Amino acid sequence: MSTANSKVKTEDKALPKQKTSWKKFRKRNVGFLYILPWLIGFLVFKAYPFLSSLYYSFTDYNLFKGVTKYTFQNYIDVFTIPTEKNSLIITFKYAFMTVPLKLLFALFIAYILNFKLKGVKFFRTAYYIPSILGGSVAIAVLWKALFSDDGLIRSGFGALGIDTPHFMSDPKWALFMICLLRVWQFGSAMVVFLAALKGVPEDLYEAASIDGAGKWRQFFSITVPLITPVIFYNLVTQLVQAFQEFNGPYIITKGGPLGSTTLMSLLIYNNAFTSYDMGKANAQAWVLFVILMIFTAISFWSQKYWVYYSDDEGR
């Protein structure tokens, strides 16, 4: 009997320990339960499509016929087939035209709107509105109506007897007009620049004025160095947006004329949902992804040579 009672006592003593350990486990992992819905969504809608896209990029995968063979040909075609290689070159042209022009316009307008001018709040709002509306389908349709061969711009100049280029049907002009639509949407970058300009200390300008520095000297010697972190931020974000541009070329020109506005994003869409060649579309998407990663890495590497941070003074 004594041994049986001792076993019961030992079992009773063990129960509180088990309950205590379960409480500790629950407290330690309750955070995991809170993020479980997000984690499931990430795995299902982000991680799985990301990895499956990489897998299918090495296959001859048709949307209706399925995978027929495994090959590296999709990646080779991006750099060898003339239409695909030309699309990659056009994407580079579009990005390298759009990003510098957009940043220059945004910084120039932000610098002007930083002064205490009459009605400056109205102009800040007016310049910001295109960045809200510019990416929409309606604005792309309006842009097409303005600059098409029978559009408002050419009709208006024609009525005055002035001959204008065929903006949308001439390969020399079509890409530039698509770039102009993106440059027109400089409002978001302008707001970021304006916030950075507000943070530049006024006493630096006062000291520079006492030393005889003019507005341009103050701009390049004080303003630009102090807002280089914001310039860097806008550069990276605008570069990513430029390489992913789709609405303008798709709605306005459908990639024409003669493929002069067929950016990589539009080519990916055509291969995936027109030709149903999902393997090639996935490979082109991964090439675009790698290009973006390379340019982003170069940007982050180069910032130590031209980006000024306030905490660098103590180093």
Side-chain angles (χ1 to χ4, degrees), residues 21-281:
S21 61
W22 166 247
K23 288 181 179 179
K24 288 182 179 180
F25 175 80
R26 189 173 61 184
K27 288 181 179 179
R28 290 174 181 175
N29 296 276
V30 68
F32 176 77
L33 295 176
Y34 285 119
I35 68 169
L36 188 60
W38 176 88
L39 186 62
I40 294 173
F42 172 77
L43 293 174
V44 173
F45 298 109
K46 295 289 185 179
Y48 172 73
F50 188 79
L51 296 175
S52 63
S53 173
L54 180 62
Y55 167 76
Y56 287 123
S57 68
F58 293 100
T59 65
D60 188 8
Y61 173 42
N62 185 278
L63 188 61
F64 297 105
K65 297 179 182 178
V67 178
T68 55
K69 64 179 179 179
Y70 297 88
T71 177
F72 288 93
Q73 191 63 39
N74 292 329
Y75 288 96
I76 298 173
D77 290 345
V78 175
F79 302 100
T80 56
I81 294 181
T83 54
E84 298 187 23
K85 184 170 64 174
N86 188 51
S87 177
L88 192 60
I89 294 171
I90 292 170
T91 304
F92 276 99
K93 287 181 179 179
Y94 175 83
F96 292 145
M97 279 194 296
T98 303
V99 174
L101 287 174
K102 188 174 182 179
L103 293 181
L104 286 173
F105 271 106
L107 182 56
F108 175 70
I109 299 299
Y111 183 71
I112 294 175
L113 296 180
N114 191 40
F115 293 107
K116 295 179 181 179
L117 304 173
K118 187 176 180 180
V120 68
K121 292 183 179 179
F122 167 77
F123 288 106
R124 289 174 183 173
T125 305
Y127 281 118
Y128 182 66
I129 288 176
S131 66
I132 302 174
L133 304 176
S136 66
V137 174
I139 294 300
V141 172
L142 177 62
W143 203 261
K144 182 178 181 179
L146 285 173
F147 294 101
S148 61
D149 288 349
D150 56 349
L152 182 62
I153 301 296
R154 296 197 77 248
S155 299
F157 279 104
L160 297 174
I162 302 173
D163 189 22
T164 58
H166 295 268
F167 296 111
M168 294 302 181
S169 59
D170 188 347
K172 296 179 181 178
W173 282 92
L175 183 62
F176 176 75
M177 300 311 298
I178 300 297
C179 292
L180 192 61
L181 174 60
R182 173 60 66 176
V183 173
W184 179 62
Q185 306 165 35
F186 63 82
S188 58
M190 180 203 70
V191 170
V192 178
F193 278 134
L194 187 59
L197 292 172
K198 292 291 184 183
V200 178
E202 288 291 336
D203 55 351
L204 294 178
Y205 293 120
E206 293 174 1
S209 298
I210 294 172
D211 291 338
K215 292 294 182 182
W216 284 108
R217 183 62 183 272
Q218 293 177 24
F219 178 76
F220 287 106
S221 298
I222 298 175
T223 306
V224 172
L226 290 181
I227 66 170
T228 46
V230 176
I231 295 175
F232 171 73
Y233 168 78
N234 275 334
L235 173 65
V236 173
T237 55
Q238 296 302 324
L239 195 65
V240 172
Q241 290 180 14
F243 273 99
Q244 294 178 333
E245 174 63 24
F246 176 78
N247 279 356
Y250 176 72
I251 297 170
I252 299 174
T253 60
K254 298 291 183 181
L258 302 177
S260 60
T261 59
T262 305
L263 305 182
M264 281 294 291
S265 57
L266 183 57
L267 185 66
I268 292 168
Y269 174 85
N270 290 336
N271 283 323
F273 301 107
T274 303
S275 303
Y276 305 115
D277 192 348
M278 301 299 292
K280 180 171 289 188

